[in-house]
Amino acid sequence: MKIPASRLDRGFFQHQAEYEAKALEVLRSGWYVLGQEVSAFEEEFGAYLGCDHVVGLNSGLDALILAFRALGVGEGDEVLVQGNTYIASVMGISINGATPVFVEPNDYHNLDVSDLAGKITEKTKAILVVHLYGQSSEMGEILALAKKHELYVVEDCAQSHGATVDGQMTGTLGDIGCFSFFPTKTLGAFGDGGCVATSSPELAERIRTLRNYGSSQRYYFDEVGMNSRLDEMQAGLLRVRLSYMDEMRVEREKLAEFYSKHMQNPWVILPQVAEGATAVWHQYVVLCEEREALMAHLATKEIGTLIHYPQPPHLSQAYAYLQIPKGSLPKTEALADKVLSLPFYLGMTEEEQIYVVDAVNGFRLG
Ligand SMILES: *Cc1c(COP(=O)(O)O)cnc(C)c1O
């Protein structure tokens, strides 16, 4: 049986008629960028999050870029971020001219709070918290530390739509929450998209202006902005998908439970959820000392896997200029050699899951 690491068609077919009807509605409306679908989506996603202001954007990266820009974090400033994140988190910081300072992850792939305090300097302006793989971070301790040192907290929720901390949605705990709607994410569009969420009307207004060339009044420009608008098609399709958020969350929980219940192999360490955290299972990530062998074993059975992520940002060519030598972040670097994302997608059948479980359980070393 051929099982790709991810397949997006299944999620589409679950509600095909509604997506197609919405697509036609938008096509026939004669209005395609920043219109009533975007406004309605912003309202509805805000209600879902329990947050007053949502501003639709072109991508998750743009959300991060504009969040730091609106907060005035730039040249000469440092931002703390975990070392084991997707490169976009780091680019959101560095594109503004600020310097990323990497913190080690804990056993749940999230920021290790015990490594945070020691890395705060005079220049530190903000902490970027990434709720990686869909599991919420230890926000209580992070927010307390941020308050003590007067730091902004930005949340990268590109993988954590719907994950909570003490019943409160990730993305609403810090100053600004940044979301991506890339098709693979837990709230995925059918193209690129993103947004910021904030309780601050001023920050929301500033980002609303910046997303449209810095214009608050048509053809008058307050500052040099960007073109980072969410289009009507994506917003309309996102509204359909958002209405199934609970259904999707429950399905992902069931898929993860099934894997965790049936997978048993001493060489494969299964993902854990920290006490007090919730996970929306953006990925199901196992650890294996002999990851390449496990990948090859699964590949012989036509099971696709992915590595999120094989190279930590500090070791990438893009950030060679930071001159952070290999070995500086041992835990981050070790994880990059061990993590493996198993096939995991909406619409995955039990038969497919059993096939993957049997293949993983049948993996032997040597
Ligand atoms: C996907 C992702 C982003 C970037 O989102 P795009 O919409 O692809 O720009 C940022 N951070 C994390 C953790 C992501 O997974």
Side-chain angles (χ1 to χ4, degrees), residues 181-361:
F181 305 124
F182 187 72
T184 58
K185 312 288 181 168
T186 31
L187 175 57
F190 295 83
D192 275 309
C195 79
V196 291
T198 177
S199 61
S200 157
E202 293 80 19
L203 288 173
E205 204 41 51
R206 178 95 190 281
I207 293 171
R208 214 173 273 287
T209 302
L210 285 170
R211 78 173 167 185
N212 196 21
Y213 302 116
S215 166
S216 51
Q217 188 192 345
R218 196 170 198 184
Y219 302 136
Y220 292 86
F221 303 94
D222 314 336
E223 60 180 316
V224 178
M226 311 193 354
N227 172 355
S228 182
R229 302 175 296 222
L230 184 61
D231 64 69
E232 288 284 282
M233 182 65 79
Q234 297 310 328
L237 296 171
L238 279 166
R239 289 180 69 199
V240 175
R241 190 152 260 180
L242 181 63
S243 72
Y244 293 105
M245 211 55 193
D246 286 331
E247 176 187 296
M248 293 190 295
R249 183 177 46 77
V250 169
E251 184 179 347
R252 284 181 176 277
E253 270 167 20
K254 283 198 179 134
L255 291 171
E257 258 171 47
F258 190 91
Y259 269 166
S260 295
K261 186 171 168 203
H262 298 286
M263 246 175 235
Q264 272 182 333
N265 185 321
W267 291 290
V268 180
I269 299 169
L270 303 183
Q272 305 294 325
V273 180
E275 215 180 294
T278 68
V280 292
W281 301 102
H282 170 59
Q283 300 290 349
Y284 190 89
V285 179
V286 299
L287 300 178
C288 181
E289 294 283 346
E290 303 289 335
R291 184 199 41 215
E292 313 309 324
L294 175 58
M295 275 184 99
H297 167 78
L298 295 175
T300 63
K301 300 185 181 304
E302 295 191 301
I303 295 173
T305 51
L306 289 168
I307 300 171
H308 299 102
Y309 302 92
Q311 183 181 54
H314 72 282
L315 299 180
S316 69
Q317 189 58 38
Y319 288 104
Y321 73 89
L322 292 173
Q323 297 188 302
I324 303 173
K326 198 169 159 74
S328 308
L329 294 158
K331 190 146 187 196
T332 297
E333 293 169 26
L335 277 177
D337 292 335
K338 290 186 214 169
V339 289
L340 189 67
S341 304
L342 299 178
F344 200 87
Y345 45 85
L346 294 173
M348 191 171 193
T349 65
E350 188 168 304
E351 192 191 4
E352 289 169 336
Q353 280 207 290
I354 289 171
Y355 184 76
V356 175
V357 166
D358 288 346
V360 170
N361 289 351

Side-chain angles (χ1 to χ4, degrees), residues 59-62 64 85-86 88-89 130 132 156 158-159 180-182 185 192-193 282 309:
S59 71
L61 174 60
D62 281 3
L64 290 156
T85 186
Y86 183 51
S89 314
V130 187
L132 203 70
D156 182 339
Q159 306 185 359
S180 164
F181 305 124
F182 187 72
K185 312 288 181 168
D192 275 309
H282 170 59
Y309 302 92

